[in-house]
Amino acid sequence: MEQTPSRVPFARRLAVPGGRDGRRMLVVAVIDKIGTGLWTGAATLYFLYVAHLTVAQIGVLMGLSGILGIAGPPLAGRLADRFPVTRILLAAQLARGAALLALLTTDDYVLLVLFSALGALPDRASSVLTKLFAARVAGPQRIRYQAIQRTAANIGWAVGAAGAAAALTVGSTAAYQVLLLANVASYAIIGVLTLRCAEPKAPTRVVTGQAAADTHRAHSGSLVRPTTPWRDRRYLAFTGSEIWLFLDDSILQVGFPLWIVHATAAPVGLAPLILVLNSVLVIALQVPLSRFGETRAAARRLLVPIGAAFLTGGVALAASAGGGLWFATVAVLLAATAFTIAEILHSISSWELSIALAPGEAQGAYLGLHGLAQSGQRSLGPVVVGAAVSVGPFAWPVLGATLVIACLAQHRLVRPSAATPATRATAEHLTEERPAADRPAAERPTAEPARPPATSPPPRAHGS
């Protein structure tokens, strides 16, 4: 008799989904974030003190890099539907290292802008490719794998940032160059590890009945156009709502420091501690909470508490402007906790829904489009958050309310609906990912005879 989820052995709960390649890609994520943490904390200072750029020039350089980087996710997604994802990821990692290494060769502003922009493109592409690899290698356990990977990445980032802080106490040109070279070395190491990973199987569809007939007509040329996210209005709307729901990133990184300094009696030193609190909560809660979003229906249900957490954070942030030092400090910490909870839950929901709504044969293209949401937020978010700080306390509950509206709109948008060619392909993809024993008899491959009804509820598709 199969075990229920509550009886899964503890050792199995600790296991990393995806086998050896899943564990290897987890190491890749940690090393990547260590290198990124080392360099990100020093990049602005490198351009200022080593390349001798002005603050305005650095702003233009980073802005132009961000604009070019927006093309990375959709480009990577399209390529991943046509070529092995591991090889594209390897190429992206090597391109990131080469573009970064090129910064050491010149002080010319135009070339620095060019190399930075060329590095931003594969950098944004890598995040989509890593997500796609994880979805394929972990299969039905992709939510747990994503949670473990995100936790590991936060640990790696913290280690890298601590190393950068130690190196920057020296403050010499050599120290900045060492940090840059350390990040380049991290790309070389993860490139070797990625090269050793086997290519995970791309999603295939298990079809029966009318769906099988549709698939046959597609292969015969009767269906002219392949599935594309740019014609999928629901997925486009879903991605658009994601831009707003990713605002927690700008609120935590930009909004909190500005608000603490300009509007509260909280100590200025609380600002960097907010990011420490954020990392600690992500490391502690990401994996345990992942079990609440292991299916499309569960991920959809998470949108309600996500909205509640956003609203709580907005109200607490507004209240922080109306008290003394201790009241403001407690209110700011409460707001940071609420926004971090929203971030954790949204990462779980967003991960599952972005994959569940994508048909298997165009999964890369769909995830590439979804990757534009974070890129869009990075451009829009600081502007929105800066405006909220300027308006004053009333702006934060209003912003929280708009995030609640976005959650409710997305909750309605991703609800199950009547089958269309695009949604039917998605359903077939999801059917393939579920273990055969957990599917209804009507959904099993035709080669497998239907089993008699079970006398007790079937076990969940996920073991954790």
Side-chain angles (χ1 to χ4, degrees):
M1 183 176 182
E2 294 188 48
Q3 293 176 315
T4 62
S6 60
R7 297 177 182 173
V8 174
F10 182 69
R12 184 177 171 187
R13 289 181 180 274
L14 294 178
V16 177
R20 182 180 61 184
D21 289 330
R23 294 190 297 271
R24 190 169 285 156
M25 194 56 69
L26 202 63
V27 175
V28 166
V30 173
I31 296 174
D32 187 4
K33 289 303 180 183
I34 290 175
T36 302
L38 286 170
W39 171 242
T40 301
T44 301
L45 298 178
Y46 174 88
F47 290 124
L48 187 63
Y49 295 121
V50 179
H52 305 294
L53 303 183
T54 66
V55 173
Q57 286 177 318
I58 295 173
V60 172
L61 179 148
M62 293 185 171
L64 291 177
S65 299
I67 291 172
L68 182 58
I70 291 175
L75 177 61
R78 296 288 292 181
L79 290 173
D81 283 334
R82 291 164 172 75
F83 305 100
V85 66
T86 52
R87 298 302 177 261
I88 303 172
L89 181 56
L90 172 63
Q93 291 162 346
L94 296 179
R96 292 164 73 191
L100 189 60
L101 188 61
L103 295 178
L104 290 176
T105 66
T106 182
D107 289 334
D108 182 79
Y109 181 63
V110 174
L111 290 178
L112 289 173
V113 171
L114 175 63
F115 294 148
S116 297
L118 291 178
L121 186 69
D123 182 70
R124 300 283 180 87
S126 294
S127 61
V128 171
L129 295 170
T130 302
K131 179 179 179 180
L132 188 58
F133 179 91
R136 292 177 179 178
V137 78
Q141 290 186 295
R142 61 191 178 213
I143 289 298
R144 176 171 174 78
Y145 185 87
Q146 181 263 358
I148 296 173
Q149 186 180 63
R150 194 164 187 263
T151 301
N154 271 270
I155 295 173
W157 180 276
V159 171
L168 290 178
T169 58
V170 178
S172 65
T173 298
Y176 293 113
Q177 292 172 336
V178 166
L179 290 174
L180 185 152
L181 290 172
N183 196 18
V184 171
S186 74
Y187 292 137
I189 294 171
I190 63 177
V192 172
L193 291 174
T194 301
L195 191 61
R196 297 182 62 189
C197 290
E199 178 68 17
K201 291 183 179 180
T204 56
R205 295 185 293 172
V206 177
V207 294
T208 58
Q210 183 61 37
D214 291 340
T215 302
H216 176 73
R217 287 197 300 273
H219 290 169
S220 301
S222 301
L223 299 179
V224 179
R225 293 174 179 171
T227 305
T228 169
W230 299 101
R231 296 194 182 114
D232 189 331
R233 288 179 292 180
R234 180 167 70 161
Y235 204 87
L236 286 170
F238 168 71
T239 301
S241 65
E242 287 282 86
I243 296 176
W244 201 247
L245 294 182
F246 277 121
L247 273 179
D248 59 84
D249 184 61
S250 290
I251 292 173
L252 286 164
Q253 295 192 31
V254 179
F256 271 83
L258 292 176
W259 186 251
I260 289 170
V261 171
H262 293 291
T264 77
V268 176
L270 186 62
L273 294 180
I274 294 301
L275 297 181
V276 175
L277 174 64
N278 174 264
S279 295
V280 169
L281 289 175
V282 170
I283 292 170
L285 299 178
Q286 188 73 61
V287 174
L289 292 180
S290 67
R291 64 191 179 93
F292 294 108
E294 292 179 332
T295 65
R296 175 176 167 181
R300 179 174 178 256
R301 287 193 295 270
L302 281 181
L303 289 166
V304 175
I306 291 170
F310 275 132
L311 185 58
T312 300
V315 171
L317 209 53
S320 67
L325 185 148
W326 286 108
F327 180 86
T329 299
V330 171
V332 167
L333 291 175
L334 175 60
T337 301
F339 279 115
T340 300
I341 295 297
E343 174 195 346
I344 294 170
L345 295 179
H346 177 241
S347 71
I348 297 168
S349 175
S350 175
W351 172 280
E352 175 61 22
L353 291 175
S354 65
I355 297 174
L357 295 174
E361 70 274 16
Q363 194 179 69
Y366 271 70
L367 293 184
L369 173 62
H370 183 261
L372 291 177
Q374 284 185 305
S375 297
Q377 187 281 142
R378 289 174 183 174
S379 300
L380 176 67
V383 177
V384 172
V385 170
V389 172
S390 300
V391 170
F394 181 71
W396 294 113
V398 172
L399 182 58
T402 65
L403 289 163
V404 171
I405 293 172
C407 287
L408 295 178
Q410 193 176 106
H411 187 272
R412 179 177 176 82
L413 184 68
V414 301
R415 73 191 190 280
S417 58
T420 63
T423 57
R424 185 170 58 241
T426 301
E428 292 161 3
H429 165 55
L430 291 175
T431 298
E432 185 275 336
E433 289 190 343
R434 295 171 58 194
D438 288 351
R439 301 178 202 152
E443 293 182 6
R444 295 178 189 147
T446 54
E448 179 185 341
R451 299 178 182 177
T455 57
S456 60
R460 290 171 58 193
H462 302 276
S464 58

PDB file of all heavy atoms in Angstrom, residues 354-386:
ATOM      1  N   SER A 354       3.405  29.750 -13.809  1.00  0.00           N
ATOM      2  CA  SER A 354       4.086  30.075 -15.068  1.00  0.00           C
ATOM      3  C   SER A 354       4.390  28.821 -15.873  1.00  0.00           C
ATOM      4  O   SER A 354       4.386  28.856 -17.111  1.00  0.00           O
ATOM      5  CB  SER A 354       5.383  30.842 -14.787  1.00  0.00           C
ATOM      6  OG  SER A 354       6.325  30.029 -14.088  1.00  0.00           O
ATOM      7  N   ILE A 355       4.619  27.708 -15.197  1.00  0.00           N
ATOM      8  CA  ILE A 355       4.880  26.441 -15.885  1.00  0.00           C
ATOM      9  C   ILE A 355       3.582  25.729 -16.228  1.00  0.00           C
ATOM     10  O   ILE A 355       3.404  25.198 -17.323  1.00  0.00           O
ATOM     11  CB  ILE A 355       5.788  25.541 -15.027  1.00  0.00           C
ATOM     12  CG1 ILE A 355       7.149  26.210 -14.826  1.00  0.00           C
ATOM     13  CG2 ILE A 355       5.966  24.165 -15.661  1.00  0.00           C
ATOM     14  CD1 ILE A 355       8.061  25.482 -13.874  1.00  0.00           C
ATOM     15  N   ALA A 356       2.628  25.726 -15.264  1.00  0.00           N
ATOM     16  CA  ALA A 356       1.374  25.000 -15.472  1.00  0.00           C
ATOM     17  C   ALA A 356       0.552  25.580 -16.614  1.00  0.00           C
ATOM     18  O   ALA A 356      -0.169  24.854 -17.303  1.00  0.00           O
ATOM     19  CB  ALA A 356       0.552  25.013 -14.185  1.00  0.00           C
ATOM     20  N   LEU A 357       0.652  26.875 -16.856  1.00  0.00           N
ATOM     21  CA  LEU A 357      -0.107  27.523 -17.926  1.00  0.00           C
ATOM     22  C   LEU A 357       0.585  27.422 -19.276  1.00  0.00           C
ATOM     23  O   LEU A 357       0.023  27.859 -20.284  1.00  0.00           O
ATOM     24  CB  LEU A 357      -0.339  28.997 -17.583  1.00  0.00           C
ATOM     25  CG  LEU A 357      -1.227  29.287 -16.365  1.00  0.00           C
ATOM     26  CD1 LEU A 357      -1.238  30.780 -16.059  1.00  0.00           C
ATOM     27  CD2 LEU A 357      -2.641  28.789 -16.592  1.00  0.00           C
ATOM     28  N   ALA A 358       1.789  26.869 -19.298  1.00  0.00           N
ATOM     29  CA  ALA A 358       2.563  26.792 -20.546  1.00  0.00           C
ATOM     30  C   ALA A 358       2.435  25.407 -21.164  1.00  0.00           C
ATOM     31  O   ALA A 358       2.657  24.402 -20.484  1.00  0.00           O
ATOM     32  CB  ALA A 358       4.037  27.095 -20.274  1.00  0.00           C
ATOM     33  N   PRO A 359       2.084  25.308 -22.444  1.00  0.00           N
ATOM     34  CA  PRO A 359       2.047  24.004 -23.106  1.00  0.00           C
ATOM     35  C   PRO A 359       3.452  23.438 -23.244  1.00  0.00           C
ATOM     36  O   PRO A 359       4.420  24.179 -23.423  1.00  0.00           O
ATOM     37  CB  PRO A 359       1.428  24.310 -24.466  1.00  0.00           C
ATOM     38  CG  PRO A 359       1.708  25.754 -24.697  1.00  0.00           C
ATOM     39  CD  PRO A 359       1.700  26.403 -23.336  1.00  0.00           C
ATOM     40  N   GLY A 360       3.565  22.115 -23.148  1.00  0.00           N
ATOM     41  CA  GLY A 360       4.881  21.483 -23.128  1.00  0.00           C
ATOM     42  C   GLY A 360       5.733  21.775 -24.333  1.00  0.00           C
ATOM     43  O   GLY A 360       6.938  21.986 -24.216  1.00  0.00           O
ATOM     44  N   GLU A 361       5.112  21.824 -25.530  1.00  0.00           N
ATOM     45  CA  GLU A 361       5.915  21.984 -26.742  1.00  0.00           C
ATOM     46  C   GLU A 361       6.460  23.396 -26.908  1.00  0.00           C
ATOM     47  O   GLU A 361       7.306  23.632 -27.774  1.00  0.00           O
ATOM     48  CB  GLU A 361       5.089  21.594 -27.989  1.00  0.00           C
ATOM     49  CG  GLU A 361       3.968  22.575 -28.345  1.00  0.00           C
ATOM     50  CD  GLU A 361       2.688  22.277 -27.594  1.00  0.00           C
ATOM     51  OE1 GLU A 361       2.736  21.532 -26.607  1.00  0.00           O
ATOM     52  OE2 GLU A 361       1.636  22.803 -28.002  1.00  0.00           O
ATOM     53  N   ALA A 362       5.979  24.342 -26.116  1.00  0.00           N
ATOM     54  CA  ALA A 362       6.474  25.724 -26.194  1.00  0.00           C
ATOM     55  C   ALA A 362       6.830  26.238 -24.804  1.00  0.00           C
ATOM     56  O   ALA A 362       6.752  27.434 -24.546  1.00  0.00           O
ATOM     57  CB  ALA A 362       5.426  26.620 -26.847  1.00  0.00           C
ATOM     58  N   GLN A 363       7.240  25.352 -23.919  1.00  0.00           N
ATOM     59  CA  GLN A 363       7.498  25.730 -22.541  1.00  0.00           C
ATOM     60  C   GLN A 363       8.586  26.797 -22.430  1.00  0.00           C
ATOM     61  O   GLN A 363       8.474  27.738 -21.658  1.00  0.00           O
ATOM     62  CB  GLN A 363       7.890  24.492 -21.733  1.00  0.00           C
ATOM     63  CG  GLN A 363       7.858  24.682 -20.233  1.00  0.00           C
ATOM     64  CD  GLN A 363       8.228  23.409 -19.503  1.00  0.00           C
ATOM     65  OE1 GLN A 363       9.385  22.978 -19.558  1.00  0.00           O
ATOM     66  NE2 GLN A 363       7.259  22.799 -18.857  1.00  0.00           N
ATOM     67  N   GLY A 364       9.640  26.648 -23.201  1.00  0.00           N
ATOM     68  CA  GLY A 364      10.729  27.613 -23.159  1.00  0.00           C
ATOM     69  C   GLY A 364      10.276  29.001 -23.564  1.00  0.00           C
ATOM     70  O   GLY A 364      10.603  29.998 -22.910  1.00  0.00           O
ATOM     71  N   ALA A 365       9.504  29.094 -24.654  1.00  0.00           N
ATOM     72  CA  ALA A 365       9.021  30.395 -25.120  1.00  0.00           C
ATOM     73  C   ALA A 365       8.114  31.045 -24.088  1.00  0.00           C
ATOM     74  O   ALA A 365       8.179  32.259 -23.856  1.00  0.00           O
ATOM     75  CB  ALA A 365       8.283  30.231 -26.447  1.00  0.00           C
ATOM     76  N   TYR A 366       7.261  30.247 -23.467  1.00  0.00           N
ATOM     77  CA  TYR A 366       6.345  30.793 -22.452  1.00  0.00           C
ATOM     78  C   TYR A 366       7.116  31.284 -21.229  1.00  0.00           C
ATOM     79  O   TYR A 366       6.841  32.370 -20.711  1.00  0.00           O
ATOM     80  CB  TYR A 366       5.330  29.724 -22.039  1.00  0.00           C
ATOM     81  CG  TYR A 366       4.084  29.708 -22.903  1.00  0.00           C
ATOM     82  CD1 TYR A 366       4.132  29.264 -24.231  1.00  0.00           C
ATOM     83  CD2 TYR A 366       2.859  30.122 -22.404  1.00  0.00           C
ATOM     84  CE1 TYR A 366       3.006  29.245 -25.023  1.00  0.00           C
ATOM     85  CE2 TYR A 366       1.713  30.106 -23.193  1.00  0.00           C
ATOM     86  CZ  TYR A 366       1.784  29.671 -24.502  1.00  0.00           C
ATOM     87  OH  TYR A 366       0.663  29.659 -25.284  1.00  0.00           O
ATOM     88  N   LEU A 367       8.061  30.498 -20.748  1.00  0.00           N
ATOM     89  CA  LEU A 367       8.835  30.927 -19.585  1.00  0.00           C
ATOM     90  C   LEU A 367       9.704  32.134 -19.924  1.00  0.00           C
ATOM     91  O   LEU A 367       9.981  32.974 -19.059  1.00  0.00           O
ATOM     92  CB  LEU A 367       9.695  29.779 -19.071  1.00  0.00           C
ATOM     93  CG  LEU A 367       8.933  28.590 -18.467  1.00  0.00           C
ATOM     94  CD1 LEU A 367       9.908  27.566 -17.906  1.00  0.00           C
ATOM     95  CD2 LEU A 367       7.977  29.048 -17.385  1.00  0.00           C
ATOM     96  N   GLY A 368      10.149  32.208 -21.166  1.00  0.00           N
ATOM     97  CA  GLY A 368      10.898  33.379 -21.594  1.00  0.00           C
ATOM     98  C   GLY A 368      10.056  34.640 -21.531  1.00  0.00           C
ATOM     99  O   GLY A 368      10.514  35.696 -21.092  1.00  0.00           O
ATOM    100  N   LEU A 369       8.796  34.527 -21.965  1.00  0.00           N
ATOM    101  CA  LEU A 369       7.890  35.671 -21.862  1.00  0.00           C
ATOM    102  C   LEU A 369       7.652  36.023 -20.399  1.00  0.00           C
ATOM    103  O   LEU A 369       7.674  37.203 -20.022  1.00  0.00           O
ATOM    104  CB  LEU A 369       6.558  35.338 -22.541  1.00  0.00           C
ATOM    105  CG  LEU A 369       5.443  36.372 -22.365  1.00  0.00           C
ATOM    106  CD1 LEU A 369       5.840  37.710 -22.971  1.00  0.00           C
ATOM    107  CD2 LEU A 369       4.139  35.872 -22.980  1.00  0.00           C
ATOM    108  N   HIS A 370       7.452  35.009 -19.564  1.00  0.00           N
ATOM    109  CA  HIS A 370       7.226  35.271 -18.140  1.00  0.00           C
ATOM    110  C   HIS A 370       8.434  35.958 -17.501  1.00  0.00           C
ATOM    111  O   HIS A 370       8.278  36.758 -16.576  1.00  0.00           O
ATOM    112  CB  HIS A 370       6.924  33.961 -17.409  1.00  0.00           C
ATOM    113  CG  HIS A 370       6.600  34.135 -15.964  1.00  0.00           C
ATOM    114  ND1 HIS A 370       7.533  33.931 -14.964  1.00  0.00           N
ATOM    115  CD2 HIS A 370       5.465  34.528 -15.340  1.00  0.00           C
ATOM    116  CE1 HIS A 370       6.976  34.163 -13.796  1.00  0.00           C
ATOM    117  NE2 HIS A 370       5.729  34.529 -13.988  1.00  0.00           N
ATOM    118  N   GLY A 371       9.626  35.659 -18.001  1.00  0.00           N
ATOM    119  CA  GLY A 371      10.823  36.299 -17.477  1.00  0.00           C
ATOM    120  C   GLY A 371      10.834  37.803 -17.671  1.00  0.00           C
ATOM    121  O   GLY A 371      11.553  38.523 -16.968  1.00  0.00           O
ATOM    122  N   LEU A 372      10.033  38.295 -18.620  1.00  0.00           N
ATOM    123  CA  LEU A 372       9.957  39.741 -18.837  1.00  0.00           C
ATOM    124  C   LEU A 372       9.302  40.459 -17.654  1.00  0.00           C
ATOM    125  O   LEU A 372       9.493  41.665 -17.483  1.00  0.00           O
ATOM    126  CB  LEU A 372       9.155  40.040 -20.109  1.00  0.00           C
ATOM    127  CG  LEU A 372       9.813  39.650 -21.437  1.00  0.00           C
ATOM    128  CD1 LEU A 372       8.870  39.947 -22.594  1.00  0.00           C
ATOM    129  CD2 LEU A 372      11.123  40.395 -21.617  1.00  0.00           C
ATOM    130  N   ALA A 373       8.529  39.710 -16.840  1.00  0.00           N
ATOM    131  CA  ALA A 373       7.847  40.349 -15.714  1.00  0.00           C
ATOM    132  C   ALA A 373       8.850  40.919 -14.728  1.00  0.00           C
ATOM    133  O   ALA A 373       8.714  42.069 -14.281  1.00  0.00           O
ATOM    134  CB  ALA A 373       6.923  39.343 -15.023  1.00  0.00           C
ATOM    135  N   GLN A 374       9.858  40.150 -14.368  1.00  0.00           N
ATOM    136  CA  GLN A 374      10.867  40.651 -13.436  1.00  0.00           C
ATOM    137  C   GLN A 374      11.695  41.769 -14.057  1.00  0.00           C
ATOM    138  O   GLN A 374      12.047  42.741 -13.375  1.00  0.00           O
ATOM    139  CB  GLN A 374      11.769  39.509 -12.980  1.00  0.00           C
ATOM    140  CG  GLN A 374      11.119  38.597 -11.949  1.00  0.00           C
ATOM    141  CD  GLN A 374      12.053  37.549 -11.425  1.00  0.00           C
ATOM    142  OE1 GLN A 374      12.631  36.784 -12.202  1.00  0.00           O
ATOM    143  NE2 GLN A 374      12.218  37.478 -10.127  1.00  0.00           N
ATOM    144  N   SER A 375      11.994  41.634 -15.356  1.00  0.00           N
ATOM    145  CA  SER A 375      12.736  42.708 -16.031  1.00  0.00           C
ATOM    146  C   SER A 375      11.925  43.997 -16.050  1.00  0.00           C
ATOM    147  O   SER A 375      12.458  45.089 -15.818  1.00  0.00           O
ATOM    148  CB  SER A 375      13.080  42.283 -17.465  1.00  0.00           C
ATOM    149  OG  SER A 375      13.929  41.150 -17.475  1.00  0.00           O
ATOM    150  N   GLY A 376      10.620  43.870 -16.303  1.00  0.00           N
ATOM    151  CA  GLY A 376       9.761  45.048 -16.309  1.00  0.00           C
ATOM    152  C   GLY A 376       9.665  45.689 -14.936  1.00  0.00           C
ATOM    153  O   GLY A 376       9.656  46.919 -14.802  1.00  0.00           O
ATOM    154  N   GLN A 377       9.597  44.856 -13.901  1.00  0.00           N
ATOM    155  CA  GLN A 377       9.527  45.384 -12.544  1.00  0.00           C
ATOM    156  C   GLN A 377      10.786  46.137 -12.180  1.00  0.00           C
ATOM    157  O   GLN A 377      10.723  47.149 -11.470  1.00  0.00           O
ATOM    158  CB  GLN A 377       9.312  44.217 -11.572  1.00  0.00           C
ATOM    159  CG  GLN A 377       9.053  44.622 -10.138  1.00  0.00           C
ATOM    160  CD  GLN A 377      10.302  45.008  -9.359  1.00  0.00           C
ATOM    161  OE1 GLN A 377      10.275  45.943  -8.549  1.00  0.00           O
ATOM    162  NE2 GLN A 377      11.411  44.298  -9.601  1.00  0.00           N
ATOM    163  N   ARG A 378      11.933  45.676 -12.641  1.00  0.00           N
ATOM    164  CA  ARG A 378      13.182  46.360 -12.320  1.00  0.00           C
ATOM    165  C   ARG A 378      13.222  47.764 -12.911  1.00  0.00           C
ATOM    166  O   ARG A 378      13.910  48.647 -12.393  1.00  0.00           O
ATOM    167  CB  ARG A 378      14.366  45.541 -12.835  1.00  0.00           C
ATOM    168  CG  ARG A 378      14.584  44.254 -12.039  1.00  0.00           C
ATOM    169  CD  ARG A 378      15.669  43.409 -12.652  1.00  0.00           C
ATOM    170  NE  ARG A 378      15.833  42.155 -11.926  1.00  0.00           N
ATOM    171  CZ  ARG A 378      16.646  41.168 -12.312  1.00  0.00           C
ATOM    172  NH1 ARG A 378      17.374  41.310 -13.410  1.00  0.00           N
ATOM    173  NH2 ARG A 378      16.735  40.061 -11.605  1.00  0.00           N
ATOM    174  N   SER A 379      12.498  47.972 -14.004  1.00  0.00           N
ATOM    175  CA  SER A 379      12.426  49.314 -14.595  1.00  0.00           C
ATOM    176  C   SER A 379      11.322  50.142 -13.964  1.00  0.00           C
ATOM    177  O   SER A 379      11.507  51.327 -13.666  1.00  0.00           O
ATOM    178  CB  SER A 379      12.193  49.192 -16.108  1.00  0.00           C
ATOM    179  OG  SER A 379      13.241  48.484 -16.729  1.00  0.00           O
ATOM    180  N   LEU A 380      10.162  49.528 -13.736  1.00  0.00           N
ATOM    181  CA  LEU A 380       9.000  50.245 -13.226  1.00  0.00           C
ATOM    182  C   LEU A 380       9.041  50.407 -11.712  1.00  0.00           C
ATOM    183  O   LEU A 380       8.641  51.454 -11.175  1.00  0.00           O
ATOM    184  CB  LEU A 380       7.727  49.500 -13.638  1.00  0.00           C
ATOM    185  CG  LEU A 380       6.395  50.050 -13.122  1.00  0.00           C
ATOM    186  CD1 LEU A 380       6.123  51.416 -13.753  1.00  0.00           C
ATOM    187  CD2 LEU A 380       5.262  49.076 -13.456  1.00  0.00           C
ATOM    188  N   GLY A 381       9.517  49.375 -11.008  1.00  0.00           N
ATOM    189  CA  GLY A 381       9.442  49.341  -9.556  1.00  0.00           C
ATOM    190  C   GLY A 381      10.059  50.530  -8.840  1.00  0.00           C
ATOM    191  O   GLY A 381       9.395  51.161  -7.997  1.00  0.00           O
ATOM    192  N   PRO A 382      11.319  50.883  -9.122  1.00  0.00           N
ATOM    193  CA  PRO A 382      11.919  52.024  -8.416  1.00  0.00           C
ATOM    194  C   PRO A 382      11.145  53.325  -8.608  1.00  0.00           C
ATOM    195  O   PRO A 382      11.079  54.149  -7.685  1.00  0.00           O
ATOM    196  CB  PRO A 382      13.320  52.107  -9.037  1.00  0.00           C
ATOM    197  CG  PRO A 382      13.612  50.713  -9.484  1.00  0.00           C
ATOM    198  CD  PRO A 382      12.298  50.176  -9.972  1.00  0.00           C
ATOM    199  N   VAL A 383      10.547  53.507  -9.784  1.00  0.00           N
ATOM    200  CA  VAL A 383       9.763  54.720 -10.035  1.00  0.00           C
ATOM    201  C   VAL A 383       8.517  54.730  -9.154  1.00  0.00           C
ATOM    202  O   VAL A 383       8.178  55.739  -8.519  1.00  0.00           O
ATOM    203  CB  VAL A 383       9.373  54.812 -11.525  1.00  0.00           C
ATOM    204  CG1 VAL A 383       8.492  56.034 -11.776  1.00  0.00           C
ATOM    205  CG2 VAL A 383      10.621  54.862 -12.400  1.00  0.00           C
ATOM    206  N   VAL A 384       7.809  53.589  -9.102  1.00  0.00           N
ATOM    207  CA  VAL A 384       6.580  53.488  -8.307  1.00  0.00           C
ATOM    208  C   VAL A 384       6.888  53.678  -6.824  1.00  0.00           C
ATOM    209  O   VAL A 384       6.213  54.419  -6.110  1.00  0.00           O
ATOM    210  CB  VAL A 384       5.900  52.129  -8.548  1.00  0.00           C
ATOM    211  CG1 VAL A 384       4.739  51.929  -7.579  1.00  0.00           C
ATOM    212  CG2 VAL A 384       5.416  52.026  -9.985  1.00  0.00           C
ATOM    213  N   VAL A 385       7.929  53.012  -6.345  1.00  0.00           N
ATOM    214  CA  VAL A 385       8.285  53.080  -4.933  1.00  0.00           C
ATOM    215  C   VAL A 385       8.757  54.483  -4.561  1.00  0.00           C
ATOM    216  O   VAL A 385       8.409  55.021  -3.495  1.00  0.00           O
ATOM    217  CB  VAL A 385       9.360  52.029  -4.606  1.00  0.00           C
ATOM    218  CG1 VAL A 385       9.914  52.234  -3.207  1.00  0.00           C
ATOM    219  CG2 VAL A 385       8.776  50.631  -4.747  1.00  0.00           C
ATOM    220  N   GLY A 386       9.545  55.090  -5.423  1.00  0.00           N
ATOM    221  CA  GLY A 386       9.983  56.460  -5.168  1.00  0.00           C
ATOM    222  C   GLY A 386       8.816  57.423  -5.068  1.00  0.00           C
ATOM    223  O   GLY A 386       8.796  58.320  -4.215  1.00  0.00           O
TER     224      GLY A 386
END
